[in-house]
Amino acid sequence: MRKGSLIVVSGFSGAGKGTIMKKLVKENAEYALSISMTTRKPREGEQHGVEYFFVTKEEFEKTIADNGLVEYACYCGNYYGTPKAYVEQMRQAGKHVLLEIEIQGAMKIKEAFPEAVLLFVMPPSAQVLRDRLVGRGTETEEVIEQRLNRAVEEAAGIENYDYIVVNDDLDTCVEEVKAIVKTAEHAAYRNLEFIDSVRGELSSLLKGDN
Ligand code: ADP
Ligand code: 5GP
């Protein structure tokens, strides 16, 4: 069985990453969403083991020391990290694993897994971004400002991603993500094992002919 792809999805807070990922995973059994660990407090309605594993700073730091994370970063004063075991298990089972992570973590993944596909979700405009953040109603005005400031920093790194998608109409955006993942699977450098095996077969075939 072919190993599943590793797909990093980043984007400004409020761009709609979570909404896109939920829809993608709900409607497509070949995708699996990695659940991160964080020291952020749960928002209303968020559950431990569903949106995140909510842990203390001490628990998070112990997981780092135990080498239990693929990557981690600090974002607006909290730790966020990707647990190792799930990513590997799911990829081995042939699932495309989605990591919804911020830009520092994305760059670490790119280094550790050069085959990863890096996607950046853009809002249709900055005003729509602010409206969505305010409309979500989960953050205070102060935290929204912090997140918008962070968006300015993140905007400087978008060129390091492989693809951007604009989250205007949700259904269209989800279809675009799926199309990108499918196309990326066909990149020659992601198929070196297969290419080598055909090369090997070709040369044995020719030797047999002689
Ligand atoms: P993120 O995970 O990037 O921080 P969310 O998925 O929480 O963003 O989305 C932020 C807000 O925008 C939510 O209230 C969500 O319902 C809304 N939203 C997401 N995508 C769209 C869209 N395509 N059109 C309109 N509203 C959207
Ligand atoms: P939020 O607090 O809105 O859920 O997430 C804040 C930011 O942390 C988002 O940009 C989100 O993508 C990112 N994030 C979530 N989980 C991880 C993770 O495991 N690692 C990293 N590096 N960032 C994460």
Side-chain angles (χ1 to χ4, degrees), residues 77-89:
N78 284 301
Y79 275 133
Y80 293 80
T82 307
K84 226 177 220 173
Y86 181 86
V87 172
E88 217 25 61
Q89 277 164 21

Side-chain angles (χ1 to χ4, degrees), residues 14-140:
K17 305 176 294 296
T19 309
I20 297 165
M21 297 300 96
K22 274 191 193 129
K23 187 172 165 62
L24 193 56
V25 171
K26 195 171 162 206
E27 296 173 356
N28 301 275
E30 66 271 34
Y31 285 86
L33 180 60
S34 160
I35 302 172
S36 296
M37 188 177 270
T38 184
T39 57
R40 162 166 87 60
K41 296 279 163 286
R43 294 178 183 137
E44 211 181 305
E46 284 185 333
Q47 288 173 280
H48 184 77
V50 179
E51 282 78 10
Y52 282 105
F53 296 107
F54 296 99
V55 297
T56 61
K57 189 162 174 269
E58 290 68 31
E59 286 169 318
F60 197 101
E61 285 173 348
K62 180 164 188 319
T63 314
I64 299 174
D66 292 344
N67 201 21
L69 300 174
V70 184
E71 63 72 39
Y72 68 92
C74 202
Y75 175 96
C76 294
N78 284 301
Y79 275 133
Y80 293 80
T82 307
K84 226 177 220 173
Y86 181 86
V87 172
E88 217 25 61
Q89 277 164 21
M90 287 295 139
R91 289 189 75 197
Q92 288 301 348
K95 300 244 185 193
H96 300 315
V97 177
L98 298 160
L99 306 184
E100 192 214 306
I101 63 179
E102 53 67 65
I103 200 160
Q104 300 165 67
M107 294 306 115
K108 288 185 204 156
I109 292 289
K110 191 174 175 172
E111 248 181 72
F113 303 90
E115 77 279 17
V117 183
L118 271 67
L119 274 173
F120 198 94
V121 178
M122 304 285 288
S125 69
Q127 188 56 50
V128 169
L129 181 71
R130 179 189 269 274
D131 292 347
R132 284 188 186 163
L133 263 178
V134 173
R136 188 167 70 187
T138 50
E139 269 84 20
T140 59

